[in-house]
Amino acid sequence: MTGQFRGPRSSRLEPSARGLRFTPYAWAKLQWFCHRGDTEIGGFGVSPRNDLLLVEDFITVTQAVTAVSVKFDDLAVADYFDQQVDQGRKPPEFARLWLHTHPGASPTPSGTDDETFGRVFGVSDWAVMFILARTGKTYARLRFNIGPGGETLLPVEVDYTADFRGSDFRGWEKEYAANVRPDPMWRPTFSGGGKAVSGGRGGGGVGVGWWGDGDLAYEDWMNGHDPMGLL
């Protein structure tokens, strides 16, 4: 699928008055990944076309992780996007919700989180950054990039009216083993509040966010994969 996108990036987002919601399955999976290791874990939320702020699944891609950073593999992201399009989904359903975990107590986004959110998702008309901390605390921020733009914090809840298809510990473990690559040389130092503040190979600084300089940009994929006005 190739072709240069030239239309408006609009997805008719209609935020629920209840904010960002998770199905019991998506919440259970995200909690499992959050507690699986001592690093951050990142991925994308998948939503139904008629309810874009309802997370039905949390899907990871190949990533290098530390206690304070996640870096997605650019080709893995492109493959994930292609697979979702092949399944009949449009980008607002699988590429607008950036979900990741913090291994400490605080879900407050770091400076790298904020920079990554603005740089990578600033090309779409809207996007959400969501963070789950090990303590169960959450942070969700919706950003609009059309018109004058703007941001707002979202409440977070689990929608227990949605069907729960049951946990899949074996499948989640297989996905973790295939996609999550902790840096074995990383040695984090935690603050009193449980937030990793330093570390590295021999005590260096914090890591970089995903899609660093030179990686495949979000807009590169969008511009080359919109033959049917998917955006």
Side-chain angles (χ1 to χ4, degrees):
M1 293 180 292
T2 59
Q4 185 74 15
F5 171 72
R6 301 185 187 283
R9 291 180 169 85
S10 177
S11 55
R12 299 193 184 94
L13 175 66
E14 296 179 0
S16 165
R18 292 178 290 175
L20 184 67
R21 291 142 49 232
F22 289 80
T23 64
Y25 175 83
W27 186 247
K29 183 177 181 181
L30 187 59
Q31 286 278 1
W32 185 91
F33 271 85
C34 182
H35 289 81
R36 173 58 179 79
D38 295 323
T39 69
E40 292 192 1
I41 304 289
F44 295 94
V46 176
S47 303
R49 189 165 303 180
N50 63 348
D51 196 347
L52 296 176
L53 291 182
L54 173 64
V55 184
E56 292 186 318
D57 201 357
F58 167 64
I59 299 180
T60 63
V61 297
T62 304
Q63 56 196 275
V65 298
T66 71
V68 294
S69 68
V70 175
K71 189 174 188 300
F72 290 173
D73 178 84
D74 54 351
L75 295 180
V77 173
D79 287 343
Y80 161 73
F81 283 8
D82 284 336
Q83 291 165 6
Q84 293 298 312
V85 170
D86 289 344
Q87 294 176 32
R89 295 191 179 100
K90 298 182 178 181
E93 301 164 51
F94 66 82
R96 295 289 193 271
L97 306 179
W98 174 34
L99 316 179
H100 72 282
T101 68
H102 283 179
S106 174
T108 303
S110 66
T112 299
D113 291 336
D114 284 329
E115 190 276 333
T116 299
F117 187 45
R119 174 170 52 84
V120 176
F121 290 91
V123 301
S124 58
D125 52 354
W126 66 272
V128 170
M129 173 171 61
F130 170 83
I131 302 171
L132 170 66
R134 184 70 64 89
T135 56
K137 295 179 180 179
T138 61
Y139 178 97
R141 187 166 87 223
L142 170 66
R143 168 178 288 176
F144 289 98
N145 299 313
I146 56 177
E151 295 184 336
T152 184
L153 296 180
L154 296 176
V156 178
E157 68 176 38
V158 180
D159 187 351
Y160 289 105
T161 65
D163 290 336
F164 182 39
R165 55 187 176 183
S167 300
D168 182 14
F169 300 127
R170 183 174 298 179
W172 299 345
E173 180 65 38
K174 183 177 180 180
E175 182 178 342
Y176 180 93
N179 292 336
V180 181
R181 300 173 179 174
D183 184 341
M185 300 300 292
W186 179 265
R187 294 294 182 269
T189 299
F190 289 92
S191 68
K195 182 177 181 180
V197 294
S198 66
R201 290 182 172 86
V206 300
V208 297
W210 59 282
W211 267 326
D213 294 339
D215 286 337
L216 175 73
Y218 184 90
E219 187 171 18
D220 291 341
W221 185 91
M222 292 297 187
N223 284 339
H225 295 72
D226 192 43
M228 301 176 63
L230 297 176
L231 300 180

